């Protein structure tokens, strides 16, 4: 019985993580497109700015909804998540650069990157940031 309850909690967390993550990814994607199309920034530079905007949505969404049952206080969780997200940003930049170097259009390259990294983010959030 306990295992079923644990599995159900994990499934709910994964669903909430997915909703928050999709919203943060959409914010990130839209920021990059806006900064490239209207701000005339290089996609790799726009990606960094978009990261910081999307980070706010990600942190607060996960803090207040996905991992709302955590006892971890804000001043402990925020620096941990920021560290994880900085690692994700570095990975994102490397992957984005690689996909761009393959002559993929930047929106497609960015979409692929934003689909790859959430697995690492969920595992690190679940077992370290909001543990």
């Amino acid at each position: 019985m306990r295992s079923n309850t644990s599995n159900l909690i994990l499934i709910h967390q994964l669903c909430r993580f997915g909703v928050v993550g999709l919203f943060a990814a959409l914010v990130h994607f839209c920021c990059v497109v806006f900064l490239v199309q209207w701000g005339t920034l290089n996609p790799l530079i726009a990606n960094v700015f978009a990261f910081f905007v999307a980070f706010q949505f990600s942190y607060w969404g996960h803090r207040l909804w996905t991992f709302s049952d955590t006892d971890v206080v804000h001043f402990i969780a925020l620096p941990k998540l920021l560290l994880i997200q900085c690692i994700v940003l570095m990975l994102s930049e490397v992957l984005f650069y690689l996909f761009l170097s393959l002559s993929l259009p930047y929106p497609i390259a960015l979409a692929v990157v934003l689909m790859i990294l959430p697995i690492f983010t969920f595992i690190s959030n679940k077992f370290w940031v909001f543990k």
Side-chain angles (χ1 to χ4, degrees):
M1 176 82 174
R2 182 168 170 87
S3 178
N4 288 339
T5 303
S6 296
N7 289 341
L8 190 58
I9 290 170
L10 180 61
I11 290 168
H12 282 125
Q13 270 187 336
L14 281 168
C15 289
R16 288 184 297 234
F17 181 85
V19 169
V20 170
L22 281 173
F23 185 71
L26 182 62
V27 167
H28 188 128
F29 185 86
C30 289
C31 284
V32 170
V33 170
F34 176 80
L35 291 170
V36 170
Q37 296 299 318
W38 291 280
T40 64
L41 288 180
N42 175 288
L44 288 168
I45 294 170
N47 189 48
V48 174
F49 286 107
F51 161 81
F52 287 107
V53 174
F55 173 79
Q56 296 302 314
F57 289 95
S58 177
Y59 175 75
W60 290 107
H62 293 314
R63 175 73 190 179
L64 298 174
W65 193 41
T66 307
F67 301 105
S68 61
D69 60 343
T70 185
D71 293 331
V72 177
V73 292
H74 175 72
F75 75 91
I76 291 174
L78 181 62
K80 286 181 172 182
L81 185 63
L82 185 57
L83 175 63
I84 292 301
Q85 290 301 93
C86 285
I87 292 168
V88 168
L89 174 62
M90 287 186 286
L91 292 171
S92 169
E93 283 290 281
V94 168
L95 290 172
F96 199 25
Y97 175 80
L98 289 174
F99 293 142
L100 290 173
S101 69
L102 295 173
S103 299
L104 283 175
Y106 81 88
I108 293 172
L110 181 60
V112 172
V113 169
L114 292 174
M115 288 188 280
I116 291 173
L117 296 174
I119 297 164
F120 169 76
T121 305
F122 178 79
I123 291 169
S124 59
N125 283 344
K126 171 106 176 116
F127 297 105
W128 187 58
V129 175
F130 296 110
K131 182 177 177 188

